[in-house]
Structures are given as structure tokens and as C-alpha cells.
């Protein structure tokens, strides 16, 4: 049987080890995020779609997958239904990038950062970014719910660990 001091040290050390493991896991997973096969809709003439696809493949191989849509309305529906993370709509006199920041800042930023300069470089009209589903002003990155869950989850896990150690000593 362990002494009370040993149990106390283990009870104090367990959350520290757990926090270290969580931090190491998050750093390993999120230290250098990059898109992989991110679906993007395209509403454009076939030649323009081919130009965009070739330029994307050259700049970011494997980062994006283009899906053709017959109209801007179909592309908007695809974004709302989460089939694509953004859509490029290129007409004769204007180019629009449709996004929905409510799906998350990472895919929206990846699509915007890749496509806005690319479309401009291919000689099309300046790109207007249209946010179909913006986040609330007070939650610009959409992380409010994540941190709410995290702030409830971690203390409850810690309480469970401590309760286990305390109950063993009784």
C-alpha cells in the first residue's frame, strides 16, 4: 500500500503529465497546418477552369480539388451543404470568391489566400470575396464553442482523476 505522501504526489503529478501530453499532441498536430485535398467549386468557362486548375496544381500540389458547378447558385448550395469549402465564380466582367467563414477560419483562409492572388495573376477581373455565412463579430475565428467545451472538459477530467486517487485512499 502506498503512503499518503506518495498518493498526494501522484495526484499532483497526474494533471501535469496530462497537460504535457495534451500540449505535445496539439503542437505535433497543428504546428504547420496546410490544406490537403480541400474541395473548391468552380463556375467558369472550361478554359478558365483549366487555367485555374493548372495554376493551383503548380503552386500547391494536392492542396485543392476543383469541382465544376453549372451556376453560382449551385456553388452557393454546395458551400452551405459543406460539399466544398469555397467557390470561384468567374464571369465576363467580374470574379467572385464565395466562402462561408462559419465553417472555420482555416479552410476559408486557405481558399482565400490561394485563390485571390492566383485569379488576379491569371488576368481575370479583380476578385471580390463574398462571405455567405459570416461569423458573429464577437467570435471572429469561430473558436468560442471550442474553448467553451475545452474549459469544461479539462477540469472535469482533472476532477475525475483526483476523485479516483482520493477514493482509493478511503
Amino acid at each position: 500500500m502506498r503512503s499518503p505522501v506518495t498518493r498526494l504526489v501522484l495526484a499532483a503529478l497526474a494533471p501535469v503529465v496530462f497537460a504535457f501530453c495534451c500540449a505535445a499532441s496539439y503542437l505535433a498536430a497543428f504546428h504547420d497546418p496546410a490544406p490537403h485535398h480541400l474541395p473548391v467549386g468552380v463556375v467558369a468557362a472550361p478554359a478558365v477552369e483549366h487555367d485555374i486548375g493548372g495554376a493551383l496544381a503548380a503552386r500547391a500540389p494536392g492542396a485543392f480539388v476543383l469541382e465544376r458547378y453549372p451556376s453560382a447558385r449551385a456553388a452557393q448550395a454546395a458551400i452551405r451543404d459543406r460539399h466544398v469549402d469555397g467557390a470561384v465564380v468567374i464571369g465576363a466582367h467580374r470574379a467572385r470568391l464565395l466562402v462561408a467563414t462559419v465553417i472555420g477560419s482555416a479552410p476559408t483562409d486557405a481558399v482565400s489566400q490561394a485563390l485571390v492572388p492566383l485569379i488576379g495573376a491569371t488576368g481575370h477581373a479583380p476578385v471580390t470575396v463574398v462571405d455567405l455565412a459570416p461569423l458573429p463579430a464577437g467570435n471572429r475565428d469561430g473558436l468560442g464553442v471550442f474553448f467553451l467545451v475545452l474549459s469544461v472538459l479539462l477540469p472535469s477530467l482533472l476532477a475525475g482523476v483526483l476523485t479516483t486517487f482520493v477514493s482509493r485512499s478511503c
Side-chain angles (χ1 to χ4, degrees):
M1 181 145 219
R2 292 188 175 136
S3 72
V5 173
T6 304
R7 285 194 303 263
L8 181 62
V9 168
L10 288 175
L13 194 58
V16 172
V17 171
F18 179 72
F20 177 76
C21 290
C22 285
S25 173
Y26 288 139
L27 288 173
F30 301 121
H31 77 283
D32 190 19
H36 300 283
H37 306 292
L38 203 65
V40 177
V42 178
V43 179
V48 173
E49 178 186 358
H50 184 267
D51 290 346
I52 292 170
L56 269 179
R59 282 191 182 179
F64 301 94
V65 176
L66 297 182
E67 296 182 23
R68 183 160 179 67
Y69 287 94
S71 67
R73 180 167 282 156
Q76 289 174 357
I79 292 170
R80 287 194 178 103
D81 294 340
R82 295 295 320 270
H83 296 295
V84 293
D85 291 310
V88 179
V89 180
I90 299 179
H93 302 290
R94 69 178 184 164
R96 293 181 294 156
L97 175 62
L98 308 177
V99 295
T101 54
V102 76
I103 65 171
S105 60
T108 302
D109 289 348
V111 168
S112 298
Q113 290 170 2
L115 291 173
V116 169
L118 183 134
I119 292 168
T122 56
H124 299 289
V127 182
T128 303
V129 178
V130 179
D131 195 347
L132 302 174
L135 286 165
N139 190 12
R140 216 169 38 107
D141 291 327
L143 296 175
V145 173
F146 170 75
F147 285 113
L148 173 67
V149 170
L150 194 64
S151 67
V152 172
L153 179 67
L154 290 180
S156 66
L157 286 172
L158 178 60
V161 169
L162 291 176
T163 303
T164 301
F165 281 115
V166 170
S167 66
R168 285 187 181 173
S169 66
C170 295

